[in-house]
Amino acid sequence: MAQALRTGAVQSERKYAAGMNSSAHSGANVNARKLEETEETRHASSGKALGKAIMQARTAKKMTQKQLATAINEKPQVIGQYEQGSAIPNPQIISKLERQLNCRLPRPGKAPKAAGAAGGAKGKQTANQAQQKKGANLTRGGPAKRR
């Protein structure tokens, strides 16, 4: 084999980082790319209107972001994200803020669905819903109540 290499009858290729104590995969992130945000992967943000309302109510109560955060058992960064409008809206946190600040905050709306996805049953009631509105005591599944 060595003689064949010397004469040039056989060619050899050197592997990348061969004989070194590093993996070929641990390079300087050669193939790493940032994922582009599309409509499918983008999260809903809380919006500027909610952030402005939180900031106005908080300053009216003369509270800092840290004081408000400790009052609702959240981190100060969460309050900052909501005020910037970059937070993913969480209805539980928004209701905690409403209780602490004693004001109604604008809720971010849901993303609109495709036009064909909405069913034509809007405004129609099923028989079960009509009975529940009348005040009938219906049990939801399971055995009947024992008396």
Side-chain angles (χ1 to χ4, degrees):
M1 182 78 173
Q3 187 177 12
L5 279 173
R6 275 186 249 128
T7 59
V10 177
Q11 288 185 338
S12 65
E13 294 179 14
R14 183 162 185 176
K15 292 184 178 181
Y16 176 77
M20 295 185 167
N21 196 14
S22 64
S23 172
H25 302 291
S26 68
N29 295 332
V30 178
N31 293 327
R33 287 186 195 164
K34 183 180 177 185
L35 289 174
E36 294 180 18
E37 285 190 350
T38 62
E39 293 299 321
E40 297 165 359
T41 61
R42 181 172 290 157
H43 291 291
S45 63
S46 57
K48 293 283 184 183
L50 176 64
K52 196 168 188 175
I54 292 171
M55 193 181 307
Q56 287 175 348
R58 178 179 59 81
T59 52
K61 285 206 157 216
K62 296 180 178 153
M63 296 177 82
T64 63
Q65 287 183 352
K66 186 175 182 180
Q67 290 170 338
L68 179 59
T70 54
I72 65 167
N73 294 327
E74 293 292 336
K75 293 182 180 180
Q77 291 88 348
V78 173
I79 305 299
Q81 288 175 349
Y82 272 93
E83 288 186 1
Q84 291 172 6
S86 62
I88 298 172
N90 184 346
Q92 291 175 332
I93 294 176
I94 295 173
S95 63
K96 283 186 200 178
L97 288 167
E98 286 178 339
R99 261 185 266 126
Q100 187 63 37
L101 297 172
N102 294 328
C103 69
R104 295 285 296 163
L105 297 173
R107 301 284 177 133
K110 293 183 179 178
K113 293 184 179 180
K122 208 175 200 183
K124 294 182 181 179
Q125 289 184 355
T126 62
N128 205 10
Q129 289 173 340
Q131 286 179 353
Q132 285 178 352
K133 283 190 176 182
K134 289 180 185 176
N137 293 331
L138 295 176
T139 59
R140 289 178 153 183
K145 290 184 180 178
R146 292 178 25 167
R147 296 180 188 212

